[in-house]
């Protein structure tokens, strides 16, 4: 048992380890796939945005060169007088309205703005000097310039596109178009990903994420800081004091924490030509992580469920096996017990048979003993009629020699009566001594009583007595022998008729009672009754005891009846009645399975 428990513990630990590794594998794989998917999506997004930024600038790329050719511009640069200035201003204003550019203006070679589209506004560029701006110097040096900066006058950041102005191949000034890029920025405020554009120095100048505005990605060199201050590129923004966005110097990290956030973001950048700008995108890792975690948890859950189901099935199998085993064990024990019971029943049957055999032998012995005791009485019973017959036959011979036929006939009749008496005695004795087993069968007690009453009817009528059979109680059948039971009842009825012989209103009544276990038959008479001193001899019937006149009774009826009832498992007794007469009762057990089986055997 401890070994089994140890093995079960080991299996559980292995299953848990397997589930944990499967969950970690799912977590790792889904995290990696999530990351690469997010990176691909971010890359796509950044490329689209980079094209948008480039497209906005591209729209205005040729505009400075176009206005540089206009006569009104050349005029104002040639002679900056109020009339030429006014015309140039009007032209620039009109072009601004038509093109959608932020501002357009023209600078002389000394850097002074002579005409501008915002000439009428308080932040007018006219009269301002922007000589320090690289777009001015670049235009003079290379014919065109492009530069992103915060407006020195307006404070509004914008992209400056410049073109040199030539009048008959002589350089006379610079034309500038300022493009407002804040409109692009306004669409980048989506919280899921941070988008920022940095210049070639790595300073963020366009972003939807306000805290990053005008902050370098990494710490700037002294030289760069100086340059930025000189060109006033980002106006009043103090880049020297601004914290770098990423602490790692040199290169961009793959993932980064953004100020105040608690989840890392994926970092990706694409270049925007031609100013060396970079478009930076940061996508949150939180949903990818949450997704991976969820998948890992689901895997673990599925693993646990499968393990649980496996365990459940296993336990069920074990339970079924145990039940089958218990069932088989039970069946085996039932078979054993049945065999044991059969053995016991067999033993008992054998014992009962032996007992019955012994009882029968005893009865037979008792009968033989009784016969011994009775021999004297038998001698008397038989020798007395024999002696009488001898006398009768002697006198018959005498009468015959005299030729008195009538007297002879009379004597012969007497002799026959004597012979019959001897025959009756012998017959009764034969039946008493017989030991052949009677055939037992279910007997209807009511019917047996009716037959006995019928047989006794002639005798009753003859002596003027009444034999009544009381209404039946429909007792259940008893196991007996019909003829013998009828004989027993008839014997009781005849005894009763004998007892009422001297009574003027002799009456014999028969009925039956039963209680489920036993059936009782009653034969009651209002005859002479049985005197006290004779009761014992009649109750334990003494063979050949009779109170009747010689020849009327042999005194064997009750003894034979008792022996017959013994064979049926029944009995007999009597009670005397105060008002005269007595009641004989036969007692028989109700038929039962056991007795039926025994009878069959
Ligand atoms: P038997 O009828 O030949 O005398 P039984 O054995 O039948 O032999 O009866 C024995 C004796 O029991 C009878 O002689 C009688 O004295 C007495 N006896 C039996 N039945 C009755 C009865 N119903 N009333 C009075 N005496 C009875």
């Amino acid at each position: 048992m401890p070994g089994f428990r140890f093995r079960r513990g080991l299996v559980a630990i292995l299953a848990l380890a397997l589930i944990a590794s499967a969950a970690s594998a799912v977590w790792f794989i889904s995290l990696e796939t999530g990351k690469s998917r997010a990176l691909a999506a971010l890359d796509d997004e950044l490329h689209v945005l980079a094209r948008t930024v480039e497209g906005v600038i591209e729209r205005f790329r040729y505009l400075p060169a176009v206005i540089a050719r206009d006569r009104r511009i050349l005029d104002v640069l040639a002679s900056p007088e109020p009339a030429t200035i006014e015309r140039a201003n009007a032209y620039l204003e009109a072009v601004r309205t038509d093109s959608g550019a932020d501002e357009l203006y023209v600078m002389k070679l000394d850097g002074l703005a002579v005409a501008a589209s915002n000439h009428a506004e308080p932040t007018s560029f006219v009269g301002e000097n922007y000589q320090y701006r690289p777009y001015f110097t670049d235009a003079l040096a290379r014919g065109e310039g492009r530069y992103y900066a915060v407006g020195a006058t307006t404070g509004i950041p914008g992209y400056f596109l410049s073109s040199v102005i030539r009048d008959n191949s002589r350089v006379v000034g610079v034309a500038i178009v300022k493009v407002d890029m804040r409109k692009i920025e306004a669409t980048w405020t989506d919280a899921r990903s941070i988008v920022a554009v940095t210049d070639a120095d790595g300073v963020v100048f366009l972003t939807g994420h306000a805290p990053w505005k005008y902050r370098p990605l990494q710490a700037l060199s002294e030289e760069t800081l100086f340059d930025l201050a000189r060109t006033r590129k980002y106006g009043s923004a103090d880049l020297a004091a601004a914290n770098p966005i990423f602490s790692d110097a040199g290169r961009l990290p793959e993932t980064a924490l953004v100020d105040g956030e608690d989840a890392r973001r994926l970092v990706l950048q694409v270049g925007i030509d031609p100013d060396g700008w970079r478009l930076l995108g940061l996508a949150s890792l939180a949903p990818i992580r949450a997704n991976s975690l969820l998948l890992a948890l689901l895997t673990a859950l599925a693993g646990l469920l499968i393990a649980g189901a496996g365990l459940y099935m296993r336990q069920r199998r074990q339970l079924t096996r145990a039940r089958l085993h218990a069932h088989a064990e039970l069946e085996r024990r039932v078979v054993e017990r049945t065999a044991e019971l059969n053995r016991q029943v067999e033993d008992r049957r054998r014992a009962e048979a032996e007992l019955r055999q012994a009882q029968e032998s005893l009865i037979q012995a008792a009968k033989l003993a009784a016969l011994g005791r009775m021999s004297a009485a038998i001698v008397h019973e038989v020798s007395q009629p024999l002696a009488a017959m001898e006398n009768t036959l002697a006198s018959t011979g005498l009468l015959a020699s005299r030729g008195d036929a009538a007297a002879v006939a009379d004597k012969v009749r007497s002799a026959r009566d004597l012979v019959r008496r001897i025959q009756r005695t012998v017959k009764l004795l034969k039946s008493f001594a017989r030991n052949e087993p009677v055939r037992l069968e279910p007997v209807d007690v009511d019917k047996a009583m009716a037959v006995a009453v019928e047989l006794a009817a002639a005798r009753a009528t003859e002596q003027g007595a009444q034999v009544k059979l009381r209404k039946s109680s429909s007792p259940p059948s008893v196991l007996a022998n019909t003829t013998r039971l009828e004989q027993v009842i008839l014997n009781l009825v005849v005894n009763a008729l004998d007892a009422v012989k001297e009574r003027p209103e002799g009456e014999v009544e028969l009925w039956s009672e039963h209680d489920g276990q036993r059936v009782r038959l009653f034969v009651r008479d209002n005859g002479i009754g049985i005197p006290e001193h004779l009761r014992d001899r009649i109750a334990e019937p003494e063979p050949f005891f009779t109170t009747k006149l010689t020849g009327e009774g042999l005194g064997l009826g009750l003894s034979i009846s008792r022996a017959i009832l013994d064979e049926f498992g029944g009995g007999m007794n009597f009670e005397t009645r105060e008002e005269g007469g007595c009641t004989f009762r036969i007692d028989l057990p109700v038929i039962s399975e056991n007795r039926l089986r025994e009878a069959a055997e």
Side-chain angles (χ1 to χ4, degrees):
M1 217 47 193
F4 178 63
R5 217 172 281 154
F6 172 73
R7 214 169 50 238
R8 257 176 44 175
L10 202 67
V11 169
I13 290 171
L14 277 178
L16 284 179
L18 202 70
I19 291 169
S21 11
S24 334
V26 167
W27 179 79
F28 181 75
I29 293 168
S30 65
L31 191 64
E32 286 310 308
T33 12
K35 265 192 204 168
S36 54
R37 270 206 210 116
L39 275 176
L42 191 59
D43 193 47
D44 289 348
E45 189 187 350
L46 290 184
H47 274 95
V48 170
L49 291 178
R51 295 297 86 78
T52 313
V53 173
E54 283 169 1
V56 169
I57 297 165
E58 200 62 22
R59 258 178 68 200
F60 299 102
R61 208 175 115 206
Y62 301 102
L63 199 53
V66 172
I67 57 172
R69 289 176 195 281
D70 195 89
R71 191 68 255 159
R72 285 160 282 196
I73 299 302
L74 295 175
D75 284 352
V76 78
L77 288 171
S79 51
E81 294 158 7
T84 54
I85 292 172
E86 196 183 323
R87 271 208 301 280
N89 278 342
Y91 167 64
L92 291 175
E93 197 178 342
V95 173
R96 177 178 76 171
T97 312
D98 294 344
S99 67
D102 190 30
E103 299 297 351
L104 297 102
Y105 53 106
V106 179
M107 287 160 73
K108 289 205 295 177
L109 288 176
D110 57 2
L112 196 73
V114 286
S117 55
N118 63 353
H119 61 95
E121 290 161 29
T123 53
S124 168
F125 297 157
V126 179
E128 299 290 332
N129 196 315
Y130 300 115
Q131 188 190 1
Y132 55 87
R133 292 289 210 189
Y135 58 78
F136 175 71
T137 45
D138 284 353
L140 289 183
R142 299 199 301 268
E144 60 170 26
R146 43 204 300 153
Y147 191 63
Y148 185 87
V150 176
T153 316
T154 56
I156 295 168
Y159 192 67
F160 296 85
L161 292 160
S162 62
S163 175
V164 73
I165 305 171
R166 286 193 176 88
D167 197 356
N168 290 326
S169 15
R170 191 170 53 90
V171 173
V172 289
V174 174
I176 299 110
V177 172
K178 184 185 174 190
V179 183
D180 187 356
M181 305 206 42
R182 288 173 306 167
K183 282 178 198 147
I184 304 174
E185 196 183 50
T187 61
W188 294 352
T189 47
D190 180 7
R192 273 174 304 159
S193 52
I194 297 176
V195 179
V197 182
T198 70
D199 61 16
D201 296 321
V203 176
V204 174
F205 63 89
L206 274 183
T207 180
H209 186 61
W212 282 12
K213 203 66 171 282
Y214 305 131
R215 272 173 66 189
L217 293 180
Q218 275 118 5
L220 296 171
S221 66
E222 288 293 322
E223 202 181 328
T224 316
L225 282 171
F226 176 77
D227 247 19
L228 289 173
R230 184 182 58 78
T231 56
R232 285 193 255 163
K233 193 176 181 181
Y234 297 118
S236 55
D238 187 359
L239 277 160
N243 261 341
I245 291 169
F246 302 120
S247 49
D248 253 2
R251 56 177 187 83
L252 279 185
E254 283 176 3
T255 60
L257 268 176
V258 176
D259 348 56
E261 277 189 2
D262 53 2
R264 296 188 84 79
R265 285 173 180 259
L266 286 167
V267 183
L268 196 71
Q269 58 173 344
V270 299
I272 304 178
D273 288 332
D275 303 283
W277 291 0
R278 307 203 71 76
L279 183 60
L280 196 70
L282 282 90
S284 176
L285 266 176
I288 301 166
R289 287 221 165 117
N291 193 38
S292 309
L293 199 66
L294 188 70
L295 280 176
L297 282 177
L298 283 178
T299 309
L301 199 69
L304 285 174
L305 274 178
I306 291 168
L311 199 70
Y312 172 72
M313 295 299 284
R314 207 179 109 108
Q315 276 184 346
R316 255 186 69 149
R317 259 205 318 276
Q318 276 177 354
L319 204 69
T320 314
R321 216 178 298 142
R323 270 198 204 131
L324 282 177
H325 184 71
H327 192 248
E329 175 67 11
L330 197 69
E331 269 183 358
R332 192 184 59 74
R333 276 159 65 179
V334 166
V335 167
E336 262 179 28
R337 187 84 190 108
T338 312
E340 171 77 5
L341 279 176
N342 283 343
R343 246 192 330 275
Q344 283 178 4
V345 167
E346 190 50 42
D347 288 352
R348 210 174 133 195
R349 207 175 288 163
R350 206 177 307 120
E352 278 174 5
E354 281 167 8
L355 189 67
R356 209 175 314 130
Q357 181 75 40
Q359 274 176 345
E360 277 165 11
S361 310
L362 274 177
I363 290 167
Q364 191 57 20
K367 282 179 184 173
L368 290 174
L371 261 184
R373 281 203 309 279
M374 291 182 314
S375 47
I378 294 166
V379 169
H380 169 76
E381 279 301 317
V382 178
S383 58
Q384 195 268 334
L386 276 179
M389 197 152 70
E390 202 201 351
N391 284 337
T392 308
L393 290 175
S395 44
T396 308
L398 217 66
L399 289 169
S401 61
R402 269 194 228 146
D404 188 350
V408 167
D410 196 36
K411 285 290 172 193
V412 168
R413 202 164 30 245
S414 303
R416 279 191 71 188
D417 278 349
L418 290 166
V419 169
R420 276 201 207 102
R421 194 175 147 195
I422 295 168
Q423 273 178 334
R424 230 168 57 225
T425 306
V426 170
K427 198 173 159 196
L428 274 169
L429 280 171
K430 253 168 76 187
S431 122
F432 187 65
R434 193 166 47 198
N435 191 32
E436 51 195 45
V438 284
R439 199 172 57 81
L440 294 183
E441 64 207 356
V443 178
D444 184 336
V445 174
D446 278 349
K447 239 184 226 166
M449 286 197 298
V451 169
V453 169
E454 204 182 311
L455 289 173
R459 161 84 193 274
T461 320
E462 192 181 299
Q463 72 180 62
Q466 272 198 356
V467 179
K468 285 187 197 162
L469 180 56
R470 222 194 268 172
K471 200 172 167 346
S472 163
S473 67
S474 301
S477 299
V478 296
L479 196 66
N481 180 282
T482 313
T483 322
R484 292 214 179 177
L485 186 61
E486 284 167 7
Q487 277 174 8
V488 170
I489 301 169
L490 179 61
N491 184 57
L492 291 185
V493 176
V494 169
N495 276 353
L497 284 173
D498 283 343
V500 299
K501 208 187 272 177
E502 306 305 326
R503 297 274 157 155
E505 287 186 354
E507 188 179 282
V508 179
E509 194 177 11
L510 287 90
W511 74 95
S512 67
E513 287 175 7
H514 62 94
D515 65 358
Q517 298 290 319
R518 308 194 72 84
V519 176
R520 295 186 184 90
L521 313 184
F522 296 87
V523 181
R524 187 171 72 187
D525 63 72
N526 55 356
I528 50 173
I530 298 173
E532 178 78 50
H533 65 280
L534 294 182
R535 278 180 200 162
D536 284 348
R537 303 181 72 182
I538 293 165
E540 196 55 58
E542 186 184 312
F544 298 103
F545 171 77
T546 180
T547 54
K548 292 166 194 172
L549 292 175
T550 310
E552 276 185 18
L554 285 173
L556 283 175
L558 289 180
S559 300
I560 293 170
S561 295
R562 166 63 63 90
I564 290 173
L565 289 173
D566 270 353
E567 284 185 65
F568 301 159
M572 179 174 67
N573 57 17
F574 68 87
E575 275 171 9
T576 50
R577 303 171 67 202
E578 271 179 31
E579 59 268 46
C582 57
T583 309
F584 273 78
R585 189 179 83 179
I586 295 175
D587 199 318
L588 285 164
V590 164
I591 198 161
S592 74
E593 290 286 324
N594 265 353
R595 286 188 49 83
L596 256 183
R597 201 172 54 236
E598 281 170 21
E601 282 166 5

